[in-house]
Amino acid sequence: MPYGVRDWPIIGPQHNDKHCLDFEHTHYHLDARFMPSWHGHHCEWYWSHVAVSPMQAKRGLNAGGFPPVVWKRRECKRLENPQTDALFKRAAESKTFQCLHADYVGRQAKHDGRGWVCPHRSVPLADHAPVDGVIRCPLHFMRIDASTGKVLASEVPSQ
């Protein structure tokens, strides 16, 4: 990842995705809301990789694990990843994500006093605005009913 980012903004806890996604390496996901643009424009390749290329710990790459998380105030550069709709569409069409989402449909999200928290990886969703009554978790693309906190089935976003 390029261009002056020295402290990587992350979203959600450190985890692995062995179940359904078959990704055993411990990792974090980058939070696109706090990432600089690539050369000042919205390159589809760059933003897709921000969302799906995790910071990982495995043999040869952060093999000793990650340093502790440091909380810092950062400038929010956008409300979400510019490729969010395309990423949700790809997840809805993916058999591995369908497996993961099917396991969570109907589950109740917790409320942390500010807003809903995704039941899959405990990502706070208070800062993610609902669209048509649905909050979309940016970590693994869960859809949560903004009024009830129930996880909804995957749905291909309209174009």
Side-chain angles (χ1 to χ4, degrees), residues 7 23 41 50 83-84 87 128 137 156:
D7 299 316
F23 191 81
H41 57 79
V50 165
Q83 291 296 313
T84 293
L87 293 164
H128 298 272
C137 179
V156 177

Side-chain angles (χ1 to χ4, degrees), residues 30-49:
L30 297 174
D31 192 337
R33 298 174 300 169
F34 302 95
M35 297 288 295
S37 292
W38 188 33
H39 296 298
H41 57 79
H42 295 300
C43 172
E44 180 179 344
W45 175 90
Y46 173 73
W47 290 111
S48 294
H49 278 75

Side-chain angles (χ1 to χ4, degrees), residues 112-135:
D112 68 0
R114 290 185 344 114
W116 297 114
V117 176
C118 183
H120 173 55
R121 291 288 182 220
S122 302
V123 174
L125 300 172
D127 297 331
H128 298 272
V131 175
D132 297 327
V134 176
I135 301 169

Side-chain angles (χ1 to χ4, degrees), residues 96-116:
T96 54
F97 277 96
Q98 289 171 6
C99 168
L100 179 67
H101 294 173
D103 284 353
Y104 283 86
V105 170
R107 289 197 194 183
Q108 180 64 51
K110 293 181 182 171
H111 200 281
D112 68 0
R114 290 185 344 114
W116 297 114

